[in-house]
Amino acid sequence: QLQLVESGGGLVQPGGSLRLSCAVSGSPLNYYTIGWFRQAPGKEREGVSCIASSGFSTKYSDSVKGRLTISRDNAKNTVYLQMNSLKPEDTAVYYCAVTGRSWCDSWNVRGQYAYWGQGTQVTVSS
């Protein structure tokens, strides 16, 4: 069974940066497409980004495009989310998730992800 553990969250000022990590265990990471989601208080969980199993295809939501970068290191079984130019509206719990699909088609549909991490809190505030 796959296990996902997110880390790297914290408190950062507007305009600052954070790098989130998603460590995957239980199976080689190269088999899987990985998605990042976030959930702010009182809001639904929304898709943020996706990286295909090959690493050659990535997707971003419009709200983060140009500020967040997803990457993967299959040798370390870890996926990263580099977050720059953070805004207060980026405040949320961030989750990574695994799907058996090879590509990021319908990447922001939560139901296609079989395994989820426990989340890491990101707070953007002055």
Side-chain angles (χ1 to χ4, degrees), residues 42-61:
K43 295 189 176 181
E44 290 196 358
R45 194 171 298 188
E46 63 173 356
V48 174
S49 185
C50 175
I51 186 165
S53 57
S54 67
F56 293 138
S57 176
T58 58
K59 299 287 187 182
Y60 299 93
S61 65

Side-chain angles (χ1 to χ4, degrees), residues 13-85:
Q13 292 186 343
S17 298
L18 284 173
R19 188 177 79 157
L20 305 184
S21 298
C22 173
V24 179
S25 61
S27 184
L29 180 64
N30 57 288
Y31 293 157
Y32 302 105
T33 290
I34 305 294
W36 280 98
F37 288 74
R38 68 185 181 186
Q39 188 165 18
K43 295 189 176 181
E44 290 196 358
R45 194 171 298 188
E46 63 173 356
V48 174
S49 185
C50 175
I51 186 165
S53 57
S54 67
F56 293 138
S57 176
T58 58
K59 299 287 187 182
Y60 299 93
S61 65
D62 289 342
S63 62
V64 306
K65 200 172 294 183
R67 300 186 298 116
L68 273 59
T69 303
I70 192 170
S71 62
R72 63 193 295 153
D73 185 339
N74 288 341
K76 294 183 179 180
N77 258 34
T78 302
V79 174
Y80 304 99
L81 188 67
Q82 178 66 43
M83 309 170 68
N84 298 329
S85 302

